[in-house]
Amino acid sequence: MHISETTVRRPVLASVLSLFVVLIGLAAYDKLTIREYPDIDRPVVTVSTIYTGASSKILERDVTSIIEDSLAGISGIREITSESRDELSKIRIEFTLETNIDTAANDVRDKVSRIAALLPLEADTPRVAKSDSDARAIMWIGFSSDILTSIQLNDYLDRNIVDRLSIQPGVASITIGGERKYSVRIWMDPEQISSRDLTIIDVIQAIKSENIERGAGRFESVDRELGLKLDSKLATLNEYNKIVIKHYGDSKIYLSDVAKIEIGPESDRGFLRANNKSAIGLGIVRQTKSNVLDVANNIKAELELIRPSLPESIDMTIGYDQSLFVNESISEIRFALTVSMILVILIIYYFLSSRTATIIPAITIPISIIGTFFVIYIFGYSLNVLTFL
């Protein structure tokens, strides 16, 4: 007996099954990830190493080549490409599609940790990361001010805004564009340094030896025990000016004699502009399986709560919002589905001229579409342009 015969003879059973399909379809729809395009990430792992002050040639010889040689023995590698530029070495390892990305990343970390001792001491620890297309910001929020400097604006956002946005549901991290952090900038005078028979290394070592904070053990007696801390952190520009670089008998050479010290941005290489003004941007990076629309709506709701508390000198605008594109794409597809269903029902009624024959597909088509959401959820797909079509 076919299922169609069963449903005709037992309409109550058919109704219950239809309601069950609708129920599980709606429940699955609420859990599905909504995005513009499917998740088609290839198994790619990147190894990034920062070596401050080093040229591209030094990075290629002392970092990139060493790491590349150690990675060659990992199984499942399809292609290795590398890039060495000033202060940065980046190696991209693409694996075959059958390779498990988590296993591959662990293999890469194991290989890199084995050769860490061969890398220059001044280089940062290599950072191994899985490549993820979702690691791009789905929204950029620009903050600008005509009164505050970029450093002051960055400091305000870091203290008052970043944490409030980062704790929103579905947010993985906050990317800061045009970042300007407070730092002490020391501009050395080559002529003054050479005339005093000094080198740049002498100046750097003097600063490091004066600007320290570390534990110094503990002081124990019969009745009490005290923890000791060696605290020599420099807190003001005047303290930096008084750092002694070298002794010549009774005379001293201070840092202020050979350099100019000032408060400035940690790095001024990159910049960001919003509405023709210099700005600081906050990029919202969502979690891999989170819903783009839900994350964007949560961020917008939080921004409306933040806006009244902003100083009058700070302007806040949303420069980019991926949810707008996702919303428009899904709205167009929903409209196309609705029109298609209406046309199908009208054509059936036109040719058959039977209300019963028309009502049946008018009910079963929506039930079938809603039930498909459960199938999409079971297979781990997301709702996007392709799955909707």
Side-chain angles (χ1 to χ4, degrees), residues 49-54 58 62-63 119-125 201 208:
T49 308
I50 297 176
Y51 189 176
T52 305
I58 294 176
D62 296 342
V63 177
L119 301 179
L121 296 176
E122 296 80 8
D124 293 347
T125 303
I201 302 300
K208 287 183 177 180

Side-chain angles (χ1 to χ4, degrees), residues 307-334:
R307 193 180 296 276
S309 64
L310 284 176
E312 295 182 359
S313 60
I314 297 180
D315 296 325
M316 179 178 67
T317 57
I318 297 178
Y320 170 75
D321 185 1
Q322 186 184 1
S323 66
L324 297 179
F325 302 98
V326 177
N327 255 327
E328 287 298 320
S329 299
I330 294 176
S331 297
E332 288 295 324
I333 294 173
R334 286 172 176 167

Side-chain angles (χ1 to χ4, degrees), residues 21-33 370-378 381 383:
V21 170
V22 171
L23 180 62
I24 61 175
L26 293 176
Y29 179 83
D30 188 56
K31 298 180 180 180
L32 285 172
T33 301
I370 295 173
T372 306
F373 294 141
F374 180 73
V375 179
I376 294 175
Y377 174 74
I378 289 297
Y381 296 140
L383 284 181

Side-chain angles (χ1 to χ4, degrees), residues 217-280:
R218 60 180 179 270
F219 176 80
E220 297 180 356
S221 65
V222 177
D223 299 325
R224 64 179 60 185
E225 178 180 305
L226 300 176
L228 303 178
K229 183 177 71 171
L230 181 61
D231 189 358
S232 183
K233 295 287 286 185
L234 305 178
T236 65
L237 294 183
N238 188 44
E239 292 178 353
Y240 278 91
N241 286 322
K242 292 182 178 181
I243 293 177
V244 177
I245 306 298
K246 197 171 185 178
H247 291 266
Y248 280 108
D250 295 333
S251 61
K252 303 175 183 178
I253 299 177
Y254 296 98
L255 181 59
S256 58
D257 296 330
V258 297
K260 182 179 69 173
I261 301 96
E262 64 182 15
I263 299 293
E266 190 177 88
S267 175
D268 55 4
R269 288 188 171 185
F271 67 93
L272 184 142
R273 295 182 66 83
N275 298 328
N276 295 322
K277 296 180 181 179
S278 296
I280 304 296

Side-chain angles (χ1 to χ4, degrees), residues 6-19:
T6 304
T7 54
V8 170
R9 294 180 179 180
R10 306 181 65 177
V12 176
L13 175 63
S15 301
V16 172
L17 289 176
S18 299
L19 291 174

Side-chain angles (χ1 to χ4, degrees), residues 11-293:
V12 176
L13 175 63
S15 301
V16 172
L17 289 176
S18 299
L19 291 174
F20 177 72
V21 170
V22 171
L23 180 62
I24 61 175
L26 293 176
Y29 179 83
D30 188 56
K31 298 180 180 180
L32 285 172
T33 301
I34 299 178
R35 51 190 301 160
E36 190 171 7
Y37 300 111
D39 184 3
I40 52 174
D41 285 345
R42 291 178 292 180
V44 174
V45 178
T46 58
V47 182
S48 304
T49 308
I50 297 176
Y51 189 176
T52 305
S55 64
S56 58
K57 290 184 177 179
I58 294 176
L59 276 163
E60 175 67 28
R61 183 190 65 221
D62 296 342
V63 177
T64 306
S65 297
I66 295 175
I67 297 178
E68 272 187 330
D69 292 341
S70 69
L71 298 176
I74 299 177
S75 61
I77 293 180
R78 181 177 178 272
E79 182 183 35
I80 296 180
T81 57
S82 63
E83 176 188 3
S84 298
R85 61 174 185 262
D86 291 350
E87 299 188 348
L88 177 64
S89 167
K90 190 171 185 179
I91 302 173
R92 180 179 182 274
I93 309 102
E94 180 179 343
F95 293 84
T96 57
L97 296 177
E98 298 78 15
T99 304
N100 183 287
I101 185 63
D102 294 321
T103 303
N106 290 333
D107 292 340
V108 173
R109 291 190 184 96
D110 182 57
K111 290 287 187 179
V112 171
S113 63
R114 293 181 183 181
I115 51 92
L118 303 178
L119 301 179
L121 296 176
E122 296 80 8
D124 293 347
T125 303
R127 179 176 177 270
V128 179
K130 295 180 291 185
S131 180
D132 187 1
S133 62
D134 290 333
R136 297 189 298 266
I138 64 167
M139 180 185 293
W140 278 99
I141 308 156
F143 295 85
S144 58
S145 175
D146 295 327
I147 298 177
L148 299 179
T149 65
S150 57
I151 302 178
Q152 292 171 334
L153 179 59
N154 191 108
D155 184 65
Y156 175 83
L157 297 179
D158 190 48
R159 293 174 181 270
N160 301 281
I161 307 298
V162 173
D163 288 342
R164 292 183 62 174
L165 297 180
S166 62
I167 63 175
Q168 295 303 310
V171 175
S173 62
I174 304 295
T175 300
I176 302 179
E179 188 175 26
R180 293 288 188 274
K181 285 187 176 181
Y182 274 110
S183 67
V184 176
R185 306 297 299 269
I186 300 176
W187 302 96
M188 301 185 188
D189 189 333
E191 294 182 359
Q192 295 294 337
I193 291 176
S194 60
S195 64
R196 289 169 169 79
D197 195 24
L198 297 172
T199 64
I200 301 296
I201 302 300
D202 294 332
V203 178
I204 294 175
Q205 288 179 345
I207 296 173
K208 287 183 177 180
S209 62
E210 292 290 336
N211 189 28
I212 58 175
E213 181 180 13
R214 63 184 61 172
R218 60 180 179 270
F219 176 80
E220 297 180 356
S221 65
V222 177
D223 299 325
R224 64 179 60 185
E225 178 180 305
L226 300 176
L228 303 178
K229 183 177 71 171
L230 181 61
D231 189 358
S232 183
K233 295 287 286 185
L234 305 178
T236 65
L237 294 183
N238 188 44
E239 292 178 353
Y240 278 91
N241 286 322
K242 292 182 178 181
I243 293 177
V244 177
I245 306 298
K246 197 171 185 178
H247 291 266
Y248 280 108
D250 295 333
S251 61
K252 303 175 183 178
I253 299 177
Y254 296 98
L255 181 59
S256 58
D257 296 330
V258 297
K260 182 179 69 173
I261 301 96
E262 64 182 15
I263 299 293
E266 190 177 88
S267 175
D268 55 4
R269 288 188 171 185
F271 67 93
L272 184 142
R273 295 182 66 83
N275 298 328
N276 295 322
K277 296 180 181 179
S278 296
I280 304 296
L282 300 183
I284 310 300
V285 180
R286 72 180 183 90
Q287 296 173 2
T288 304
K289 300 301 180 182
S290 61
N291 190 311
V292 175
L293 302 183

